[in-house]
Amino acid sequence: MSVTVIGGGVMGLCVATELQGRGISVAVRDEGPGPRACSWWAGGMLAPWCEGESAEEAVTRHGLGAADWWQAQGVPVARNGTLVVSLSRDAAALDRFARRSRGHRMLDAEGIAALEPDLAGRFARALFFADEAHLDPRRALAILSDRLGRTDSVAGQVIDCRGLSARDALRDLRGVRGEMVVIRCPEIALSRPVRLLHPRMPLYVVPRGDGVFMLGATMLESDRRGPPTARAVLELLSAGFALHPALAEAEVLELGADARPAFPDNLPRIRRMGGVIHANGLYRHGFLLAPAVARMVADHLQHQTRPEFMDADHD
């Protein structure tokens, strides 16, 4: 069997990697907007328990194995957990998050300081999700890409993983815009992603090492690509300042935005249409769910299974 995977984002690279690991001949054809497509701007949080606060149960269940899959591919994975905090005026938001999620324990101010000394004295309580992890998305994409063959042609079984570009075939696919800021702030250090439950702009801050952090979390119902808006940047930086005032003096390294592909229920889909297998709709769970979807696609090809995310045939 030979396979051509169309799309060089996280979905396409994970599918190709899974197939290659099972001894299937596979090549990747990337027709997307280039290396700064949607996956390039991801946070890289492998946070199935946190995502369970607002996502379907399947996201948590299938996301639990993501860290192990990435690590098995030789991708460095930081297994330091996730910290969720709120300002004192937003204490009810932290309680609500606790009720709607699992896999955490409540910390007091002393517990927060023990985990993140630079946040000492800033928050009275926090939720700590000890079993969560994160990775550097760009490094992960490069590691997978370097091991895969490339092609300009299409041969054998075609698997379409083009993300939002696949709307020409997947009519119910929509775009959900995300915007981010990369900063350098050597004055503070964080060992794990920190989520701030801000009333206007829920924020996540992901450490990249050497005083570099990614700030993100915007979710707009829009398929517009291109630079982030001034409002988004202002709100992200303002929320970052609320997390720690030192971030006000940070150096802005990079601004970015793109549109995530999503179906109406925000769960991924595997579809067969005209002999082509489509794997798409990762929404905001790209690095978390791509390994599970890749395994489903590979199982379907090898054993003709009908996985959970597979729609009825559209042929």
Side-chain angles (χ1 to χ4, degrees), residues 7-8 13 26-30 141 144-146 148-152:
L13 294 179
V26 61
V28 176
R29 178 177 178 178
D30 192 0
L141 293 172
L144 297 194
S145 182
D146 287 347
L148 296 166
R150 297 285 170 162
T151 183
D152 292 326

Side-chain angles (χ1 to χ4, degrees), residues 16-200:
T17 297
E18 183 70 21
L19 293 174
Q20 184 170 271
R22 299 188 187 199
I24 295 173
S25 176
V26 61
V28 176
R29 178 177 178 178
D30 192 0
E31 298 178 339
R36 292 184 175 240
C38 183
S39 301
W40 183 261
W41 304 115
M45 294 177 294
L46 307 177
W49 298 113
C50 277
E51 292 303 317
E53 183 268 340
S54 58
E56 297 289 338
E57 177 272 341
V59 172
T60 297
R61 177 162 41 89
H62 289 293
L64 287 172
D68 289 342
W69 189 92
W70 285 107
Q71 201 159 9
Q73 312 312 317
V75 174
V77 175
R79 295 175 178 263
N80 297 329
T82 303
L83 196 65
V84 179
V85 299
S86 69
L87 301 175
S88 57
R89 66 173 183 250
D90 303 318
L94 190 69
D95 292 331
R96 183 166 58 251
F97 200 101
R99 291 193 301 270
R100 294 179 177 178
S101 60
R102 296 178 293 146
H104 57 72
R105 59 187 174 92
M106 186 72 76
L107 301 180
D108 58 13
E110 184 176 346
I112 297 170
L115 280 182
E116 298 291 357
D118 283 352
L119 296 182
R122 296 203 50 77
F123 303 99
R125 298 183 303 152
L127 298 174
F128 180 45
F129 295 78
D131 295 330
E132 296 191 333
H134 69 284
L135 51 74
D136 182 335
R138 298 176 185 182
R139 187 175 182 187
L141 293 172
I143 288 172
L144 297 194
S145 182
D146 287 347
R147 298 173 184 166
L148 296 166
R150 297 285 170 162
T151 183
D152 292 326
S153 60
V154 175
Q157 173 66 62
V158 175
I159 304 176
D160 187 329
C161 303
R162 291 178 294 145
L164 201 57
S165 297
R167 283 183 300 177
D168 56 355
L170 305 174
R171 301 294 182 173
D172 53 344
L173 200 62
R174 79 187 199 280
V176 180
R177 181 174 165 86
E179 296 154 304
M180 49 80 75
V181 180
V182 178
I183 61 174
R184 180 184 287 118
C185 186
E187 289 74 21
I188 66 171
L190 297 175
S191 300
R192 55 191 52 79
V194 178
R195 298 188 181 213
L196 174 65
L197 304 180
H198 194 273
R200 292 190 316 277

Side-chain angles (χ1 to χ4, degrees), residues 208-247:
R208 293 282 189 251
D210 299 323
V212 175
F213 302 91
M214 190 197 120
L215 280 60
T218 63
M219 287 178 40
L220 304 173
E221 289 292 331
S222 170
D223 58 4
R224 186 175 74 84
R225 287 171 155 157
T229 64
R231 174 183 294 179
V233 174
L234 176 62
E235 290 185 338
L236 284 170
L237 293 176
S238 297
F241 177 78
L243 180 71
H244 198 293
L247 294 180

